[in-house]
Amino acid sequence: MVKLVLVLGDQLTPTLASLRAADKANDRVVMAEVTSEASYVPHHPKKIALVFACMRKFAQQLRDDGWTVDYTRLDDPDNAGSIPGELLRRASDSGASSVIATRPGEWRLIEALEDTPLDLDILEDDRFVASHADFNAWADGRKQLRMEYFYREMRRKTGLLMEDDEPTGGKWNFDQDNRKPAKPDLFMPSPLNFEPDETVQEVLDLVEATFPDNFGELRHFGFATDATEAEAVLDNFIETALPQFGDYQDAMLSGHRFLYHALISAYLNIGLLDPLDVCRRVEKAWQKGHAPLNSAEGFIRQIIGWREFVRGIYFHEGPDYANRNWLEHDRALPGLYWGQKTGMTCLSKTVEQTNEEAYAHHIQRLMVTGNFALLAGIDPAQVHEWYLSVYFDAFEWVEAPNTVGMSQFADGGLVASKPYVSSGSYIDRMSDYCSECSYSVKEKTGKDACPFNLLYWHFLSRHRSRFSDNPRMAMMYRTWDKMESDRQDEILTGAEDFLSRMDAGDPV
Ligand SMILES: Cc1cc2nc3c(=O)[nH]c(=O)nc-3n(C[C@H](O)[C@H](O)[C@H](O)COP(=O)(O)OP(=O)(O)OC[C@H]3O[C@@H](n4cnc5c(N)ncnc54)[C@H](O)[C@@H]3O)c2cc1C
Ligand code: SF4
């Protein structure tokens, strides 16, 4: 009996669980570009194009490998518009009554598949270091889930940077070496860019015609769109940027959007690169003396630490995770996130870069756009939708814990032990944005004061009952308490005034 084998747009791996379980000679692979997936949030056009182009090339790769692939393009007249709809249509066409699927990375789609009236076998997605069982065994019974301890388990499990049972270099984490600001005159590597071939060009035309109003520039499009190109991006990163990745991973520069980052998150998330293989190659670069330990360890931690940890949290916490709002924030996301002009250079530069590249690096996401949203009390569901829409690597299993948990503290401290908030001084230390800003980072009050300076204290003051007994925040409250009450009032009034102007849509 013929079976359908579902391959989703972020499951483009030849060794995917559902492909391994299928019979190439008999079964039919189903792949579909559908409106429901392309528009349930207003995705950046570059992200839609990336996924569709990679899907089309992967489908061809499967055909070349002997598979029968039923591929539906977005503009095919018979397109049913959703994944369940496409499965039902293909089942009726082929006479198949059962489907083998690999578990999607989003509860919304898992539930939609489970509701599809077909005999469905959903297999675990095993393209990760930790299985759900591994994560749950580690998490269950712990009072607090901290990435650092989970990461050590992953180091032991993989043997990466381990000498017998001990971490290489005598420490698990070299982060204190990794917080250097960068100077614009440092040598900056260039990420690889690929000229669109015929397949990519066709997808770009389709996306341009179908999603003309979505936030984000579609062209120039230079992403990798198959595994060979993604490998080349990784090789280029290891060769030219890895050695300084550690030192400058938190730095931000207006003129250098990518610094020493790898730009591989989308390729990992779509399935073009394998996380463990990436880490082994980085470890090898360190073994050969090409990169220092702080870079190799810092990079490997992002992948087998943070990436695996946030995935574990997403599935451990269940479908309501993305709706959490522990701080009860309810302000609407202001227009500046969609490109409305602002005098705050850190925000305008990060949003401009997001618009043009569908990319911002971690510290821009966490300490600029995320920090501002948290300080201003923006509804985390709207912040979550924004991040899910605008980045080329945004898939809910990885985006939601980073946004709702790490960045917005909306899960009440499950992912982060304290809120990632800062005044303007952090941004000033780690970037060159403040020198070009309409506001002054040195001013703490008054109309020229950096809004981050005002909002920082406003945040701490309005959430005092929630945070005053958090030992990691005691110092901040002591500093606030030492201020004259007139100064405190001036700060809080300045913050309220700023927020009212922003809510009214006035330029800020
Ligand atoms: C609010 C917010 C939202 C985010 N949303 C996403 C998202 O939708 N998709 C996504 O892949 N990452 C997300 N991240 C994590 C991180 O910002 C990106 O993975 C990283 O910027 C991708 O760029 P890069 O490949 O150049 O990464 P590098 O800085 O070169 O890091 C190497 C790799 O480590 C992994 N990594 C690093 N940090 C994290 C992290 N916190 N969580 C998971 N993996 C990590 C990525 O796979 C990345 O490719 C988010 C972070 C924040 C603060
Ligand atoms: S002064 Fe404040 S608003 Fe301006 S760039 Fe610096 S941190 Fe951002």
Side-chain angles (χ1 to χ4, degrees):
M1 192 67 182
V2 60
K3 289 181 180 168
L4 301 183
V5 186
L6 178 65
V7 175
L8 297 168
D10 60 351
Q11 297 182 340
L12 308 182
T13 312
T15 53
L16 189 73
S18 50
L19 288 168
R20 293 202 317 267
D23 174 5
K24 198 189 281 186
N26 243 330
D27 299 336
R28 305 181 74 90
V29 173
V30 173
M31 295 180 71
E33 302 166 6
V34 289
T35 306
S36 63
E37 295 309 309
S39 59
Y40 72 98
V41 292
H43 300 287
H44 195 298
K46 273 196 166 87
K47 176 184 174 191
I48 305 175
L50 171 69
V51 175
F52 285 179
C54 291
M55 284 172 70
R56 289 184 185 193
K57 291 190 179 183
F58 187 70
Q60 189 52 47
Q61 187 186 331
L62 290 179
R63 285 191 194 103
D64 294 345
D65 194 30
W67 289 92
T68 305
V69 182
D70 292 328
Y71 191 97
T72 308
R73 292 181 173 212
L74 190 72
D75 53 359
D76 282 349
D78 294 342
N79 192 323
S82 70
I83 296 295
E86 276 296 296
L87 284 174
L88 288 167
R89 182 169 79 88
R90 295 297 188 180
S92 138
D93 289 353
S94 64
S97 60
S98 60
V99 179
I100 313 174
T102 305
R103 199 175 200 217
E106 187 164 357
W107 287 109
R108 177 189 58 84
L109 199 50
I110 293 172
E111 287 164 3
L113 278 188
E114 284 171 351
D115 289 344
T116 307
L118 285 168
D119 174 14
L120 224 91
D121 189 8
I122 304 185
L123 307 174
E124 174 154 357
D125 188 347
D126 51 13
R127 297 172 299 164
F128 293 86
V129 178
S131 66
H132 296 313
D134 287 342
F135 188 85
N136 294 342
W138 173 80
D140 288 342
R142 278 174 194 260
K143 277 212 193 93
Q144 283 191 323
L145 304 181
R146 289 289 162 251
M147 190 286 293
E148 190 60 37
Y149 298 107
F150 172 76
Y151 166 57
R152 294 178 190 180
E153 291 299 309
M154 294 299 98
R155 288 273 293 276
R156 290 192 185 99
K157 178 170 179 178
T158 58
L160 282 160
L161 297 180
M162 293 294 291
E163 278 155 27
D164 300 324
D165 234 15
E166 295 302 314
T168 300
K171 280 198 298 187
W172 294 101
N173 179 322
F174 291 83
D175 238 6
Q176 81 254 41
D177 301 338
N178 291 358
R179 298 199 176 111
K180 297 195 179 78
K183 295 233 166 60
D185 58 356
L186 273 171
F187 163 75
M188 292 290 166
S190 310
L192 278 193
N193 262 287
F194 302 89
E195 274 309 306
D197 59 17
E198 207 181 314
T199 305
V200 177
Q201 203 58 59
E202 235 182 322
V203 167
L204 293 178
D205 294 342
L206 172 77
V207 171
E208 191 161 54
T210 319
F211 305 96
D213 300 326
N214 287 21
F215 169 88
E217 297 287 326
L218 176 61
R219 300 170 201 260
H220 171 70
F221 181 95
F223 292 142
T225 47
D226 61 27
T228 309
E229 289 178 352
E231 293 287 343
V233 173
L234 175 64
D235 286 343
N236 181 59
F237 162 72
I238 293 177
E239 185 57 35
T240 65
L242 175 67
Q244 280 162 304
F245 171 85
D247 282 2
Y248 300 114
Q249 65 173 290
D250 289 1
M252 299 174 278
L253 286 176
S254 330
H256 297 282
R257 292 176 166 177
F258 310 111
L259 289 118
Y260 300 94
H261 292 275
L263 275 84
I264 57 161
S265 45
Y267 312 134
L268 281 165
N269 299 347
I270 288 173
L272 303 182
L273 293 175
D274 173 67
L276 201 50
D277 176 58
V278 168
C279 291
R280 295 227 185 281
R281 284 162 67 175
V282 166
E283 181 187 47
K284 192 157 276 163
W286 165 73
Q287 282 164 344
K288 288 201 309 213
H290 173 63
L293 186 55
N294 69 313
S295 282
E297 186 283 315
F299 189 84
I300 287 171
R301 173 158 29 90
Q302 306 310 316
I303 295 186
I304 64 166
W306 279 114
R307 187 169 183 271
E308 295 285 332
F309 178 71
V310 297
R311 175 173 184 263
I313 293 279
Y314 180 76
F315 286 105
H316 186 259
E317 290 303 299
D320 83 309
Y321 183 81
N323 299 321
R324 296 194 188 169
N325 189 358
W326 190 72
L327 293 169
E328 300 179 74
H329 282 170
D330 59 4
R331 173 161 277 108
L333 190 78
L336 61 90
Y337 279 81
W338 301 110
Q340 187 184 312
K341 230 171 139 19
T342 170
M344 292 180 278
T345 298
C346 53
L347 276 160
S348 69
K349 288 280 180 192
T350 303
V351 171
E352 177 185 82
Q353 165 179 342
T354 300
N355 178 54
E356 289 173 14
E357 314 284 356
Y359 176 85
H361 71 65
H362 186 71
I363 293 301
Q364 292 172 303
R365 297 188 206 194
L366 186 65
M367 298 311 293
V368 179
T369 41
N371 186 13
F372 184 81
L374 180 56
L375 294 177
I378 296 169
D379 173 9
Q382 294 185 39
V383 182
H384 157 57
E385 185 175 316
W386 185 79
Y387 279 97
L388 190 57
S389 306
V390 301
Y391 290 115
F392 81 144
D393 53 20
F395 297 90
E396 196 176 271
W397 65 266
V398 52
E399 177 277 334
N402 270 299
T403 304
V404 173
M406 187 188 311
S407 161
Q408 299 303 298
F409 210 77
D411 64 5
L414 207 59
V415 171
S417 57
K418 74 174 182 55
Y420 280 97
V421 284
S422 79
S423 66
S425 60
Y426 173 84
I427 296 174
D428 189 32
R429 189 164 70 252
M430 296 312 298
S431 79
D432 60 358
Y433 294 142
C434 300
S435 59
E436 304 168 31
C437 188
S438 324
Y439 296 94
S440 164
V441 74
K442 306 281 178 242
E443 301 289 329
K444 310 291 182 210
T445 56
K447 71 175 179 28
D448 291 335
C450 164
F452 284 82
N453 292 346
L454 301 169
L455 294 173
Y456 175 72
W457 294 118
H458 191 264
F459 173 89
L460 290 177
S461 161
R462 72 178 187 267
H463 288 305
R464 183 160 201 143
S465 62
R466 290 187 164 97
F467 294 124
S468 55
D469 52 6
N470 181 329
R472 299 196 59 204
M473 298 176 74
M475 246 257 293
M476 302 171 186
Y477 281 105
R478 274 202 298 277
T479 310
W480 175 243
D481 290 340
K482 275 192 211 141
M483 267 183 225
E484 301 283 340
S485 71
D486 284 358
R487 190 169 169 79
Q488 289 181 338
D489 288 346
E490 204 183 342
I491 291 172
L492 296 182
T493 313
E496 292 288 345
D497 177 56
F498 173 86
L499 292 171
S500 313
R501 284 187 288 116
M502 187 176 78
D503 290 345
D506 295 344
V508 287

